[in-house]
Amino acid sequence: MGGYGFGYGFWRHRTPSFIGPLDGLGPLYALPGPHRSLSSYTGLCWRVRRSIDAGEEDIGFTPDGWVDKDWLLAVAGGGSLTVIRDYDKAGQGHDLVQLSSGSQPRCVLNGVVDVGPNGHPVLVYDGINDYMDVHDSAGFSRNQAALTYAGVVRNTTTGAILYYPVNAGVGSVRGYIGFSPGATAPLLQTRSTDVAANTSVAGAAITSGTWNRLIGRGRYAAGGADISVNGAVVANNTLTPAQNTPDANQAANVRIGAATFGGAYLTGAMSTVVLAQASLDMAALEAALAKIMP
């Protein structure tokens, strides 16, 4: 536990001149990812697990706000790393957590860092059983007038990116963004009650295996839902009844990458995730996410 490489770059996790790309977007419920994203955040980025000895280590940032690749490699020691905890950069304690080693997404494979198109580290999900829970998030959807959830993701055309289950009733979810098997366009599903009214909105088509920015909003009190795919927005204003979400916690934590009821696990990779108990401005959020493509 600790020690291996921790002193290597701890001082690098913050810099006074850093400006967060998500500054000014309003209160965020959770903001995990490989980038610091908010200037107010002064913590660490990931807690990782080494394959060679199951040792654990906290990893910090470089001055430009990205998780430190050199630090990751120093800790990996030629082996692989998986992520136990992706710290919440909103500072609310809603970290992404996976304590089971067999279900932890990977960030280093045999001494090589998993990266996105711009060379920055990402989390790789195997499509079999990898997923992460947003810590202490069963109350995320309780009695909310609107919710926003977004992810920067590389995916095949199947699998859940983010979902949270209903409080009662098997086979459905309160909120979901992902891909139906074989679909070429991401789908947003959102539900205004646990047992009845829901709506689905399909976004713009994507190419399997590419990196995309997906944003979903459930505007419950306004009776609508929106999905944005790389800035292209599709709205649906038929969500009824128009009301807040149910005054009860969802059945479990918000999950990233996990299979929904009868669905598929995410096959691909994930970077930044954004959750908010509000209807965030989609254009502003899209612009911020575009600045931190991995």
Side-chain angles (χ1 to χ4, degrees), residues 122-166:
V122 297
L123 301 186
V124 174
Y125 289 74
D126 65 7
I128 301 171
N129 56 8
D130 288 354
Y131 72 93
M132 300 191 87
D133 277 342
V134 180
H135 176 67
D136 194 25
S137 62
F140 171 64
S141 64
R142 182 170 184 166
N143 198 25
Q144 295 299 310
L147 296 171
T148 300
Y149 28 103
V152 178
V153 61
R154 185 196 76 221
N155 51 279
T156 61
T157 51
T158 188
I161 294 168
L162 176 153
Y163 86 101
Y164 46 101
V166 296

Side-chain angles (χ1 to χ4, degrees), residues 9-222:
F10 181 73
W11 61 272
R12 302 176 69 183
H13 83 279
R14 61 177 300 187
T15 173
S17 62
F18 179 82
I19 298 174
L22 272 72
D23 287 355
L25 272 174
L28 301 179
Y29 184 87
L31 181 60
H35 194 270
R36 184 177 158 194
S37 297
L38 292 176
S39 58
S40 60
Y41 183 70
T42 59
L44 290 153
C45 187
W46 290 342
R47 186 166 188 83
V48 298
R49 177 184 180 273
R50 269 193 308 273
S51 63
I52 56 176
D53 62 0
E56 298 180 8
E57 183 79 31
D58 279 330
I59 307 296
F61 299 96
T62 55
D64 63 357
W66 289 100
V67 63
D68 195 319
K69 286 195 294 185
D70 291 339
W71 197 342
L72 288 170
L73 290 174
V75 173
S80 299
L81 296 178
T82 56
V83 173
I84 300 168
R85 187 175 295 266
D86 185 343
Y87 291 104
D88 173 18
K89 285 71 181 181
Q92 303 301 314
H94 297 298
D95 306 338
L96 290 188
V97 180
Q98 178 53 266
L99 299 181
S100 174
S101 60
S103 295
Q104 291 164 358
R106 189 189 73 222
C107 63
V108 176
L109 176 63
N110 298 327
V112 179
V113 179
D114 293 294
V115 298
N118 295 317
H120 300 297
V122 297
L123 301 186
V124 174
Y125 289 74
D126 65 7
I128 301 171
N129 56 8
D130 288 354
Y131 72 93
M132 300 191 87
D133 277 342
V134 180
H135 176 67
D136 194 25
S137 62
F140 171 64
S141 64
R142 182 170 184 166
N143 198 25
Q144 295 299 310
L147 296 171
T148 300
Y149 28 103
V152 178
V153 61
R154 185 196 76 221
N155 51 279
T156 61
T157 51
T158 188
I161 294 168
L162 176 153
Y163 86 101
Y164 46 101
V166 296
N167 187 56
V170 176
S172 57
V173 294
R174 277 192 178 172
Y176 164 88
I177 190 166
F179 294 84
S180 300
T184 58
L187 183 72
L188 167 70
Q189 177 186 319
T190 195
R191 182 174 293 269
S192 61
T193 70
D194 279 342
V195 295
N198 69 85
T199 192
S200 296
V201 189
I206 67 160
T207 301
S208 178
T210 59
W211 279 90
N212 297 277
R213 299 176 300 277
L214 309 183
I215 304 171
R217 292 192 308 190
R219 296 179 288 106
Y220 303 104

Side-chain angles (χ1 to χ4, degrees), residues 177-275:
I177 190 166
F179 294 84
S180 300
T184 58
L187 183 72
L188 167 70
Q189 177 186 319
T190 195
R191 182 174 293 269
S192 61
T193 70
D194 279 342
V195 295
N198 69 85
T199 192
S200 296
V201 189
I206 67 160
T207 301
S208 178
T210 59
W211 279 90
N212 297 277
R213 299 176 300 277
L214 309 183
I215 304 171
R217 292 192 308 190
R219 296 179 288 106
Y220 303 104
D226 317 298
I227 185 171
S228 171
V229 181
N230 301 320
V233 179
V234 178
N236 184 328
N237 294 313
T238 62
L239 178 63
T240 58
Q243 62 179 38
N244 288 359
T245 56
D247 187 19
N249 287 349
Q250 65 229 24
N253 288 322
V254 178
R255 289 194 159 178
I256 306 295
T260 60
F261 300 103
Y265 284 81
L266 172 66
T267 302
M270 188 77 75
S271 182
T272 298
V273 173
V274 180
L275 297 178

